[in-house]
Amino acid sequence: MRIKSITAKNYKIHGEISVELDGTCTVIGGPNECGKSTLAEAAHRALFLKAKISGEGQKSIVSWIHGGQPEVDVIFEAGGKTYEIYKRFSGATGMARLSEVGGGTWQDEAAEEQLARI
């Protein structure tokens, strides 16, 4: 799997940030506490955790600065195909949408299941 871009909105310190990643090497730099690790965490959660997370797990990612529910969008390549996973982490109303470029689109639990297969 190769991550091509990460967008996080209302995610901890980030109101909205979008980063395009180079195909060969990407270095994310900046001062302490500017959100570098938070960006990597957002991508990890979008790829590996359910959108309907609740309790402390959900509360821990809500921005204490920006309003709205945390949202993460990751574009990635796997198995020669390009996908986009979008998740809104908002407890029981959380949602997931997985799209294959030039292919199908899956919503919510079907998106989570398809993502796990990829």
Side-chain angles (χ1 to χ4, degrees):
M1 175 186 292
R2 185 176 80 78
I3 298 175
K4 296 176 77 172
S5 71
I6 307 165
T7 299
K9 186 174 181 182
N10 305 321
Y11 194 98
K12 291 188 174 183
I13 194 171
H14 299 298
E16 186 165 356
I17 185 170
S18 188
V19 176
E20 300 289 324
L21 304 175
D22 185 74
T24 56
C25 181
T26 299
V27 176
I28 299 174
N32 289 343
E33 301 300 319
C34 73
K36 301 178 301 287
S37 296
T38 299
L39 186 63
E41 174 190 296
H44 177 267
R45 284 184 183 258
L47 291 167
F48 299 108
L49 298 178
K50 302 270 185 174
K52 293 190 179 199
I53 187 173
S54 61
E56 288 304 313
Q58 197 270 337
K59 288 179 187 174
S60 71
I61 63 175
V62 172
S63 175
W64 56 91
I65 303 167
H66 310 283
Q69 296 299 325
E71 301 174 34
V72 181
D73 188 87
V74 177
I75 297 174
F76 65 96
E77 292 178 344
K81 297 178 181 178
T82 301
Y83 299 91
E84 178 177 11
I85 182 68
Y86 165 83
K87 290 189 181 179
R88 184 185 69 237
F89 298 96
S90 54
T93 62
M95 66 89 59
R97 181 182 63 245
L98 176 67
S99 301
E100 178 186 335
V101 173
T105 298
W106 301 265
Q107 296 283 340
D108 298 320
E109 193 56 37
E112 303 278 16
E113 292 170 3
Q114 182 67 17
L115 182 61
R117 282 192 284 275
I118 294 171

